[in-house]
């Protein structure tokens, strides 16, 4: 599952805080912002005449603008990417641009658009048979349903995302699903399970250079993590955290299935 080649165990350490919200090490964030979001780079791709490259560049730049808090610029770039993807019938690129569009809507507080965009991305992911697109879009939809307080819908979305990520050995999308799944555990009064899931996600994040916390879901995760820690006490929390770091993929699958069954009961 992790790109280290060991698919049986969740690997890594807990130093995810050393990375920015876009997944890049803090020391490289300025370089990343300029490399992906530099208008010159985007302009160059427009002039090449490659629709796929131009759409991907605009999507990357849109993401960079999102995490820099430049929402108007992000909206312009994401709109450009969607238009380019539509014109050239680039379904994979459109799916991932729609995930970005959903995140933008979340940051603007528009839950309707925040759900509509990734719902379309889910449809695209199913139509092209791409597990990565599907898992990413399902994770984004789960943030919206969590904000709406719909435990059953959130659990169902995360169950599919987690299962697809495990089956396809996609540790990147799994590291995004696990903190949200930990939130399900908190709401089911299972703080030990929550701590384990947070720890497993932190290990994956460190191993794969990803910080699985978009600005909105980051706030949800921070509250849920504090709730689990307070409920357990420091000693029990650390014990559960250590167990999560040592968890195997089979452990994570079993825990996810148990939490989903309870949430849907």
């Amino acid at each position: 599952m992790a790109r280290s080649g060991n698919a049986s165990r969740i690997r890594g350490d807990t130093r995810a805080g050393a990375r920015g919200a876009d997944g890049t090490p803090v020391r490289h964030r300025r370089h990343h912002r300029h490399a992906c979001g530099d208008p010159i780079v985007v302009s160059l791709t427009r002039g090449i005449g490659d629709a796929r490259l131009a759409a991907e560049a605009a999507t990357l730049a849109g993401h960079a603008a999102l995490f820099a808090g430049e929402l108007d610029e992000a909206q312009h770039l994401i709109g450009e990417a969607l238009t380019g993807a539509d014109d050239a019938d680039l379904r994979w690129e459109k799916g991932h641009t729609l995930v970005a569009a959903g995140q933008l809507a979340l940051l603007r507080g528009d839950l309707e658009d925040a759900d509509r965009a990734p719902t379309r991305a889910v449809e695209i992911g199913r139509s092209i048979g791409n597990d990565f697109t599907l898992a990413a879009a399902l994770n984004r939809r789960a943030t919206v349903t969590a904000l709406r307080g719909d435990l059953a819908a959130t659990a169902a979305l995360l169950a599919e995302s987690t299962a697809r990520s495990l089956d396809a050995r996609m540790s990147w999308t799994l590291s995004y699903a696990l903190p949200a799944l930990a939130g399900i555990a908190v709401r089911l009064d299972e703080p030990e399970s929550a701590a384990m899931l947070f720890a497993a996600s932190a290990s994956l994040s460190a191993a794969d250079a990803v910080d699985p916390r978009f600005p909105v879901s980051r706030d949800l995760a921070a509250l849920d993590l504090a709730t689990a820690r307070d409920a357990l006490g420091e000693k029990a929390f650390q014990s559960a955290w250590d167990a999560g770091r040592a968890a195997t993929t089979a452990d994570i699958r079993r825990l996810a299935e148990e939490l989903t069954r309870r949430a849907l009961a």
Side-chain angles (χ1 to χ4, degrees), residues 124-136:
I124 290 172
R126 294 198 196 284
S127 72
I128 64 177
N130 189 286
D131 283 329
F132 183 81
T133 301
L134 262 175

Side-chain angles (χ1 to χ4, degrees), residues 7-8 16-17 22 89 94 110 113 127 131 137 140 147-148 154 156 184 194 213 223 241 253 257:
S8 64
D22 56 1
D89 193 26
K94 182 175 181 178
D110 185 345
D113 277 350
S127 72
D131 283 329
R140 186 54 43 233
L147 287 169
R148 288 173 168 165
T154 304
I184 296 290
R213 298 172 297 177
L223 288 171
W241 186 274
R253 188 186 297 275
E257 290 173 350

